[in-house]
Amino acid sequence: MRRSMESDPIREAYSLWIENGWTESAEGLAAVSSILRVNQVLARQADQILAPINLTFARYEVLVVLYFNDGSLPLARLGRQLQVHQTSVTNLIDKLEAQGLIKRTPHPTDRRSTVAQITTAGSSLLRKAIKRLNADLFSNLGLTSEETRLLIAVLAKMRHSWGDFKEDQGWDIFALDGAAR
């Protein structure tokens, strides 16, 4: 596990914004910087949890998407669902295929397309990965249940405002005061 920093660099940046007269942007800077930093911390933690079973979080995500889509998807659709560039999809698929966790097959109706299909070994390893992440990360975020629900609602509101999804996805079940509606 990585050592903590002596002081919070985001708090320091916030103070610098205030000192330089950018008060109206200081909270936004702190919020965006905090979200990006949490993303880095969570990605590192997830990779550490998955390392003993020879997975990264990015490869885990590919396996999850395939598993919950009847075990296979065309590579182009996989990229859209993962929201990553096609080059990244190809790289991830190459690594998973080398591990024997997925296989490429021709698309049944489109000769120009390739399908990624999870193997039995891939499904088995995915179940192990889910157990590890559930036990060591997803159920231990350092937040109370109420705080977690509030975080989900606030981030969903933010994602919606930036066009991440258009229709109501039901996240309003989490009231902004942290209690279920």
Side-chain angles (χ1 to χ4, degrees), residues 134-150:
N134 281 347
D136 298 336
L137 183 62
F138 300 153
S139 64
N140 186 21
L141 296 178
L143 302 172
T144 66
S145 178
E146 184 174 288
E147 290 168 334
T148 301
R149 294 169 72 86
L150 176 60

Side-chain angles (χ1 to χ4, degrees), residues 3 22 29-30 70 100 103 109 111 147 150 154 157 164:
R3 269 190 22 195
W22 303 318
L29 162 82
D70 297 324
K103 64 180 180 178
T109 60
R111 292 184 341 187
E147 290 168 334
L150 176 60
V154 169
K157 181 177 180 180
D164 189 40

Side-chain angles (χ1 to χ4, degrees), residues 20-167:
N20 282 282
W22 303 318
T23 306
E24 71 284 346
S25 302
E27 289 178 0
L29 162 82
V32 169
S33 298
S34 294
I35 291 167
L36 293 173
R37 180 66 182 158
V38 166
N39 178 61
Q40 293 168 337
V41 170
L42 288 173
R44 185 177 58 243
Q45 187 68 20
D47 282 343
Q48 288 174 350
I49 291 166
L50 295 172
I53 60 172
N54 201 24
L55 269 184
T56 64
F57 193 73
R59 284 185 263 155
Y60 158 83
E61 287 181 304
V62 171
L63 293 175
V64 166
V65 170
L66 292 174
Y67 185 83
F68 288 106
N69 280 280
D70 297 324
S72 66
L73 277 177
L75 296 185
R77 185 162 168 220
L78 184 59
R80 284 191 304 274
Q81 286 199 312
L82 293 170
Q83 296 182 342
V84 297
H85 190 274
Q86 200 58 42
T87 304
S88 297
V89 172
T90 300
N91 186 16
L92 290 166
I93 295 300
D94 287 346
K95 290 177 180 175
L96 288 165
E97 191 172 39
Q99 289 180 270
L101 303 176
I102 66 106
K103 64 180 180 178
R104 286 180 170 98
T105 59
H107 192 285
T109 60
D110 182 355
R111 292 184 341 187
R112 299 166 295 164
S113 186
T114 301
V115 173
Q117 183 175 13
I118 195 167
T119 64
T120 302
S123 293
S124 177
L125 189 65
L126 175 62
R127 286 190 291 280
K128 289 178 187 174
I130 290 170
K131 285 180 184 176
R132 294 179 72 86
L133 289 169
N134 281 347
D136 298 336
L137 183 62
F138 300 153
S139 64
N140 186 21
L141 296 178
L143 302 172
T144 66
S145 178
E146 184 174 288
E147 290 168 334
T148 301
R149 294 169 72 86
L150 176 60
L151 179 64
I152 292 166
V154 169
L155 292 175
K157 181 177 180 180
M158 188 176 184
R159 290 172 40 234
H160 185 267
S161 76
W162 284 89
D164 189 40
F165 57 91
K166 295 197 184 340
E167 59 189 60

